[in-house]
Amino acid sequence: MHSNHLLLEEPIRMASILEPSRASFFPAMTKIVGTLGPCSRSVEVISGCLKAGMSVARFDFSWHDAEYHQETLENLKAAIKSTKKLCSVMLDSVGPELLVVNKTENDITLEADDKVILTPDQGQEASSEVLPINFAGLSKAVKKGDTIFLGQYLFTGSETTSVWLEVDEVEGDDVVCVVKNAATLSGSLFTMHASQIRIEMPTLSDKDKQVISTWGVQNKIDFLSLSYTRHAEDVREAREYLSKLCDLSQTQIFAKIENIEGLTHFDEILQEADGIILSRGNLGIDLPPEKVFFFQKSAIYKCNMAGKPAVVTRVVDTMTNNLRPTRAEATDVANAVLDGCDAILLGAETLRGLYPIETISTVGKICAEAEKVFNQDQYFKKTVKYVGEPMTHLESIASSAVRAAIKVKASMIICFTSSGRAARLIAKYRPTMPVLSVVIPRLETDELKWCSSGAFEATQSLIVRGLLPLLADPRHPAKSIDATNESVLKVALDHGKTLGIVKPHDRVVVCQKVGDASVVKIIELED
């Protein structure tokens, strides 16, 4: 991988751009989160998604119930078993989501300049004149001139399935709006987004808590995507709730930044969250178009420097119905990788899109090409400068391992870890080669029974750029006393060979604990 590394700043032969990409065992080091739903829930399709590069499966509870999602998850487990591809599970909370309720599921046609009433009276039938909503406080939150967006998949400006409304007047609990563009709304639920307006609803709703405490606990979810995170307190409250559910005390919380309020409190939210999802669909409505790129680059930079995963959404919307992305979308994916994102999240593209497998494959290929021209040297220097001196012991070891791997043109970095923290720190410095995170489970007891931890640490690395997890035998200590720990190292090297990362005479950098010391060593593989 390192041998093909180029820099956009250096002169290149333009014809070389057309040369076929070298085949790889995985599409990219940037991870892909796929949302599973109606078009992507069979064992066959999920298997195809895993082979194409999906490493995290997202379950969006805005769609369908727990029973439906459980069936999908069982299919995911079967697909993992048949493909031997690891995949972690993300539960996406509903949060304070505003919805239009269309019980008849009849198409609703809205014409430009017509008026439509948004009402909290859900007993009324949805029509082109009246749209029932799930929030009684809208009339108190909006004023004349405010903008509201509706659609099954929010307004992008290029389709006729979403609509832009402007508040004309408030009549009691009802809000009268002027339709600004013609559209046809289809389905039973439409998302509603009130631009730059605070909605007084809890971030973690009662419905969310019920789903987490049942479905989430039953399936020991790896990640909770906390929709509409607006304050650091939202993350603290969610973590406190998870801590009461023993099986989810290690579940990581990814804060979804979806509106101006979340953007304003971004720094405090980042401190509390385990990772950030840049929900560009909703946020792209709140922000002026010319500010969207600024937020993305700034947010990803802050995540990178904090060593926390940054996930970007809404990149290839048109692939919901088309086999190829637009030129702008392809460039957008590449720019997200060059900005430093850890993962690309696909929503409607895989949930109800016609080509979920092809979409994942295409995005993966774009990511892989962008990674070839990622300026690692510049990024490394920037990160070291940001961290400053004196570095912590672990930070120093992590940066040294990456520096050594690049200097000797290593094919892989192996990191032995029990918590996963050391491997994540190595990945923070964005090495150009994969990092094999060998998670050594910890055996623990409550004096009644033994149990091992480590599964969470392994699967949670599946959202971190460049990390490849391997759950080792718990009988092998992560902390070696003989400086070799040959047996577990051999397992790791054999795994690297099986994946096609390393071959004879390649160099590998190994990072591990030896007694109380941390050691970085370079080994060269024999025939």
Side-chain angles (χ1 to χ4, degrees):
M1 185 167 300
H2 55 269
S3 60
N4 280 356
H5 203 73
L6 305 168
L7 287 179
L8 290 174
E9 294 85 352
E10 296 177 353
I12 63 168
R13 187 170 55 88
M14 295 303 284
S16 67
I17 294 172
L18 302 177
E19 293 173 2
S21 301
R22 188 174 66 178
S24 176
F25 78 101
F26 66 120
M29 292 203 289
T30 304
K31 303 301 173 66
I32 298 176
V33 182
T35 306
L36 301 185
C39 292
S40 55
R41 64 190 304 256
S42 69
V43 175
E44 182 183 4
V45 173
I46 296 174
S47 296
C49 291
L50 293 173
K51 291 175 183 176
M54 180 180 77
S55 63
V56 181
R58 172 175 170 258
F59 292 82
D60 185 355
F61 275 79
S62 296
W63 293 72
H64 297 289
D65 55 20
E67 183 180 354
Y68 179 90
H69 287 300
Q70 190 62 43
E71 290 176 4
T72 307
L73 183 55
E74 294 305 321
N75 288 344
L76 171 64
K77 291 176 182 177
I80 291 171
K81 188 174 180 179
S82 66
T83 61
K84 294 181 171 57
K85 299 281 188 183
L86 286 176
C87 187
S88 53
V89 174
M90 175 182 283
L91 189 160
D92 196 276
S93 67
V94 176
E97 186 171 50
L98 306 183
L99 298 170
V100 174
V101 181
N102 179 20
K103 293 178 181 177
T104 65
E105 298 192 23
N106 293 330
D107 287 356
I108 298 171
T109 300
L110 300 173
E111 299 294 342
D113 299 324
D114 284 356
K115 289 190 177 182
V116 63
I117 298 172
L118 303 178
T119 178
D121 181 3
Q122 294 187 38
Q124 294 199 48
E125 185 174 313
S127 67
S128 56
E129 289 80 34
V130 178
L131 296 174
I133 61 175
N134 68 338
F135 179 51
L138 184 67
S139 61
K140 296 180 177 63
V142 299
K143 63 184 185 302
K144 183 179 176 66
D146 284 344
T147 55
I148 295 173
F149 294 89
L150 304 178
Q152 196 176 49
Y153 199 48
L154 283 170
F155 193 86
T156 67
S158 62
E159 79 253 15
T160 57
T161 58
S162 302
V163 65
W164 169 30
L165 307 177
E166 184 177 295
V167 176
D168 185 54
E169 60 180 318
V170 174
E171 296 180 349
D173 291 335
D174 295 343
V175 177
V176 181
C177 300
V178 177
V179 179
K180 305 302 288 186
N181 68 286
T184 299
L185 306 179
S186 303
S188 59
L189 292 173
F190 320 128
T191 303
M192 180 171 75
H193 184 85
S195 182
Q196 299 193 31
I197 296 166
R198 173 164 176 75
I199 301 299
E200 295 291 344
M201 293 171 70
T203 301
L204 204 60
S205 67
D206 290 339
K207 178 187 175 183
D208 289 327
K209 290 179 179 179
Q210 190 271 329
V211 167
I212 293 167
S213 63
T214 53
W215 193 90
V217 169
Q218 176 186 343
N219 297 295
K220 295 185 179 180
I221 56 170
D222 299 289
F223 306 107
L224 171 64
S225 168
L226 190 61
S227 297
Y228 297 94
T229 303
R230 294 165 287 184
H231 299 270
E233 186 60 30
D234 295 338
V235 182
R236 286 192 287 268
E237 288 177 2
R239 199 175 304 283
E240 183 181 357
Y241 181 72
L242 291 179
S243 68
K244 295 174 183 176
L245 307 170
C246 296
D247 287 338
L248 300 186
S249 59
Q250 291 180 276
T251 295
Q252 290 188 348
I253 298 174
F254 274 58
K256 270 180 97 175
I257 308 301
E258 307 199 48
N259 53 31
I260 293 293
E261 204 168 356
L263 181 150
T264 305
H265 300 104
F266 184 88
D267 291 345
E268 307 96 272
I269 291 170
L270 179 60
Q271 279 188 320
E272 294 293 330
D274 297 299
I276 297 289
I277 297 175
L278 311 182
S279 185
R280 302 190 311 170
N282 287 329
L283 193 59
I285 291 170
D286 265 14
L287 284 174
E290 67 273 17
K291 297 290 187 181
V292 174
F293 86 95
F294 198 179
F295 165 74
Q296 175 174 313
K297 291 180 181 291
S298 301
I300 292 176
Y301 172 78
K302 286 175 180 286
C303 290
N304 289 166
M305 295 305 104
K308 295 185 177 182
V311 182
V312 173
T313 70
R314 295 297 293 268
V315 290
V316 286
D317 288 354
T318 61
M319 289 197 76
T320 303
N321 298 307
N322 298 294
L323 261 174
R324 286 173 61 94
T326 64
R327 296 177 295 278
E329 288 173 334
T331 304
D332 189 27
V333 174
N335 278 328
V337 174
L338 296 175
D339 287 344
C341 80
D342 286 80
I344 300 292
L345 189 154
L346 301 173
E349 301 100 319
T350 55
L351 179 134
R352 60 180 176 86
L354 302 178
Y355 310 102
I357 298 170
E358 292 85 352
T359 300
I360 292 169
S361 177
T362 299
V363 170
K365 288 175 183 176
I366 297 169
C367 290
E369 290 296 313
E371 287 163 8
K372 290 180 184 177
V373 294
F374 179 73
N375 195 329
Q376 197 281 334
D377 183 59
Q378 183 184 77
Y379 178 92
F380 185 91
K381 290 174 181 175
K382 180 173 64 176
T383 309
V384 169
K385 182 179 179 181
Y386 180 88
V387 171
E389 296 179 352
M391 280 185 173
T392 64
H393 178 76
L394 202 54
E395 191 100 37
S396 176
I397 292 294
S399 59
S400 297
V402 174
R403 192 196 313 266
I406 290 170
K407 291 291 184 184
V408 304
K409 290 183 165 53
S411 294
M412 177 173 68
I413 299 174
I414 296 175
C415 177
F416 295 107
T417 179
S418 56
S419 67
R421 183 169 172 240
R424 288 194 299 273
L425 267 181
I426 291 173
K428 169 183 173 178
Y429 287 88
R430 292 289 187 262
T432 54
M433 66 290 297
V435 180
L436 186 60
S437 173
V438 184
V439 180
I440 314 290
R442 299 183 300 274
L443 289 174
E444 300 169 346
T445 180
D446 58 4
E447 298 183 357
L448 292 174
K449 62 181 179 179
W450 285 93
C451 64
S452 66
S453 61
F456 267 115
E457 289 82 353
T459 52
Q460 286 170 344
S461 66
L462 289 167
I463 204 168
V464 181
R465 181 161 159 176
L467 279 193
L468 302 173
L470 173 64
L471 188 60
D473 189 320
R475 292 169 294 181
H476 292 299
K479 187 174 180 178
S480 173
I481 58 173
D482 62 2
T484 58
N485 207 356
E486 293 295 343
S487 56
V488 68
L489 177 57
K490 183 178 185 304
V491 170
L493 291 172
D494 287 345
H495 187 65
K497 292 174 184 175
T498 301
L499 294 176
I501 305 174
V502 293
K503 60 185 184 303
H505 305 295
D506 279 1
R507 290 173 178 171
V508 173
V509 169
V510 181
C511 184
Q512 67 183 119
K513 292 277 277 184
V514 178
D516 292 327
S518 296
V519 172
V520 174
K521 62 182 181 181
I522 302 164
I523 61 174
E524 187 167 325
L525 302 190
E526 299 175 351
D527 288 331

